[in-house]
Each structure stands twice: as C-alpha cells, then as structure tokens.
C-alpha cells in the first residue's frame, strides 16, 4: 500500500481485544519499503472455548458442576458444562474498598 508524505494514524482492532493506535510520520524524502508491526495486547473479555471449536467472548458470570453462564453484550448465555472445553479469564482491575 502506498502512503503519502505526512502524519498518519493506523488503527488496529480485533474482536475480543482492546483496540490500538499507531501514529507515524512519512517524510517527503522517505524511501519505499518498511514494516510496521503492532501487538494488540490482552483480550478485553473472558474467552470460553466450546468442544465444537467455537469461541464465545464475554464476561464469565458463573461456573457450576452443570452450567457455565457468560454475559455477551449484556445478555446471559447459559451453556451446559459438558459443552465447554476451556475457559480463559482475563485479569480485571478490582475496585479499592
């Protein structure tokens, strides 16, 4: 992709991850070529991987011996515990008390 001289902002997004921005300048005497890489960082939501290979990103509300409840967009999704292969929890900031 050709980029004209000047100031630019690249915005990176991927579902389930915190978005990011990368500011850069291209000078009038810049030569062609070059790379930009950007690491999106941690997931912004917990991840529930199901045995069928699908993934649900949301906020894990509860886990019991028979059921897993995940909030997705404010709506509770109730899953049979046997559907769940793996759960990845993201670190949350806890409010000071």
């Amino acid at each position: 992709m050709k980029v004209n001289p000047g100031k630019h902002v690249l915005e990176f997004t991927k579902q389930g991850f915190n978005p990011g921005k990368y500011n850069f300048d291209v000078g009038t005497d810049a030569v062609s070529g070059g790379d930009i890489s950007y690491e999106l960082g941690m997931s912004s939501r917990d991840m529930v991987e199901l045995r069928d290979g699908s993934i649900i990103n949301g906020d894990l509300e509860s886990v019991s011996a028979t059921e897993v409840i995940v909030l997705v967009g404010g709506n509770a999704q109730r899953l049979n515990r046997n559907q769940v292969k793996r759960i990845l929890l993201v670190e949350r900031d806890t409010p000071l008390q």
Side-chain angles (χ1 to χ4, degrees):
M1 170 170 75
K2 183 178 178 177
V3 179
N4 293 323
K7 294 181 184 238
H8 301 276
V9 177
L10 291 177
E11 294 184 12
F12 300 89
T13 60
K14 183 175 181 179
Q15 183 179 2
F17 289 81
N18 290 320
K21 290 183 180 182
Y22 183 82
N23 298 309
F24 68 101
D25 291 324
V26 175
T28 56
D29 59 345
V31 294
S32 64
D35 298 330
I36 293 175
S37 63
Y38 187 86
E39 188 172 322
L40 286 174
M42 300 300 292
S43 173
S44 62
R45 299 282 181 231
D46 300 322
M47 182 185 78
V48 178
E49 181 181 355
L50 303 181
R51 294 194 185 281
D52 68 3
S54 60
I55 293 176
I56 298 173
N57 290 305
D59 296 310
L60 186 69
E61 185 169 281
S62 68
V63 177
S64 72
T66 58
E67 184 177 58
V68 174
I69 301 175
V70 183
L71 294 176
V72 179
N75 299 314
Q77 288 196 13
R78 296 177 180 277
L79 305 166
N80 181 301
R81 170 61 186 90
N82 291 326
Q83 292 177 275
V84 177
K85 178 178 181 179
R86 179 182 357 212
I87 298 172
L88 176 66
L89 302 174
V90 297
E91 184 176 348
R92 304 253 190 246
D93 290 330
T94 55
L96 298 174
Q97 296 184 9

